[in-house]
């Protein structure tokens, strides 16, 4: 029940949400659903780093389905979006969703956050999703895992506070 969920939690910029759980149980779908709601109701533009959901057509289909409420392909349960709805989804996603795919697939955290900074400055994103955390190239350089996570979270905290962006991390 969405109303019950909304009464339990609220989202603000400059905050961090970590979504975790059992594999293949909908963590990405949940974050994408949240992004649609935060965009529609709060006008938050969304930045996505989601290398698992390539090619881009796959991500488009996932988000269009959430936005329109109908399947991209034929579905007896939900129905299929028509051409007008497809065009509406294209315009909506083009205006509100922006994707990070660093050159040469350099998924270093600094590179991903620098790309997200560009989305803040160019498009005014207020929500940035890292999906999944394990797609980031983690260069520990002799650090313990705990020390590395502290360093990485400090970088994310600095980013979210400096640019007033809510960050969602999907942690497998």
């Amino acid at each position: 029940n969405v109303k019950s969920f909304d009464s339990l939690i609220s989202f603000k910029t400059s905050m961090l949400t970590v979504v975790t759980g059992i594999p293949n149980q909908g963590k990405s779908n949940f974050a994408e659903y949240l992004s649609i709601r935060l965009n529609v109701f709060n006008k938050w533009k969304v930045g996505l780093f989601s290398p698992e959901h390539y090619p881009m057509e796959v991500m488009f289909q996932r988000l269009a389905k959430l936005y329109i409420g109908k399947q991209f392909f034929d579905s007896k349960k939900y129905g299929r979006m028509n051409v007008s709805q497809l065009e509406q989804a294209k315009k909506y996603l083009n205006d509100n969703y922006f994707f990070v795919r660093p050159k040469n697939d350099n998924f270093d955290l600094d590179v991903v956050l620098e790309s997200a900074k560009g989305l803040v400055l160019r498009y005014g994103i207020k929500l940035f999703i890292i999906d999944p955390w394990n797609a980031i190239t983690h260069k520990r350089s002799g650090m313990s895992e705990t020390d590395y996570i502290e360093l990485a979270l400090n970088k994310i905290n600095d980013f979210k506070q400096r640019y007033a962006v809510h960050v969602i991390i999907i942690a497998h």
Side-chain angles (χ1 to χ4, degrees):
N1 184 322
V2 173
K3 287 183 182 179
S4 297
F5 179 78
D6 285 347
S7 71
L8 297 173
I9 191 168
S10 61
F11 294 86
K12 297 182 182 341
T13 58
S14 302
M15 296 186 75
L16 171 67
T17 299
V18 178
V19 178
T20 189
I22 300 168
N24 298 315
Q25 294 301 307
K27 295 177 292 294
S28 296
N29 294 53
F30 177 69
E32 292 158 7
Y33 173 75
L34 285 177
S35 76
I36 295 280
R37 288 184 57 82
L38 289 168
N39 175 264
V40 169
F41 295 113
N42 297 349
K43 306 297 183 223
W44 286 9
K45 292 189 178 202
V46 181
L48 276 164
F49 169 71
S50 188
E52 281 188 347
H53 299 111
Y54 273 78
M56 292 304 300
E57 294 82 5
V58 171
M59 183 55 78
F60 172 81
Q61 291 170 13
R62 293 166 63 94
L63 293 170
K65 178 179 84 169
L66 287 168
Y67 179 66
I68 298 296
K70 292 183 179 180
Q71 295 289 340
F72 190 78
F73 296 105
D74 202 17
S75 167
K76 291 179 184 173
K77 185 175 181 181
Y78 298 105
R80 182 178 187 182
M81 66 180 75
N82 61 37
V83 173
S84 173
Q85 291 167 326
L86 176 62
E87 290 303 317
Q88 179 185 357
K90 280 183 187 177
K91 178 164 179 21
Y92 166 76
L93 293 172
N94 191 52
D95 291 345
N96 293 287
Y97 279 76
F98 307 93
F99 300 91
V100 166
R101 184 74 181 206
K103 289 181 182 178
N104 302 319
D105 288 341
N106 182 352
F107 298 161
D108 180 80
L109 181 60
D110 292 330
V111 173
V112 170
L113 291 177
E114 187 66 24
S115 297
K117 172 186 165 185
L119 298 180
V120 171
L121 299 176
R122 269 180 270 152
Y123 305 110
I125 68 163
K126 291 294 179 189
L127 177 64
F128 184 62
I129 300 173
I130 298 173
D131 180 16
W133 175 250
N134 62 309
I136 299 289
T137 303
H138 300 287
K139 298 178 183 173
R140 290 181 25 200
S141 302
M143 285 184 266
S144 71
E145 187 174 15
T146 302
D147 288 342
Y148 171 76
I149 290 171
E150 178 183 7
L151 176 69
L153 287 175
N154 284 339
K155 289 178 181 183
I156 292 167
N157 280 330
D158 181 60
F159 169 78
K160 69 181 181 57
Q161 291 169 353
R162 184 177 304 236
Y163 299 105
V165 173
H166 190 107
V167 176
I168 295 177
I169 296 174
I170 308 299
H172 291 272

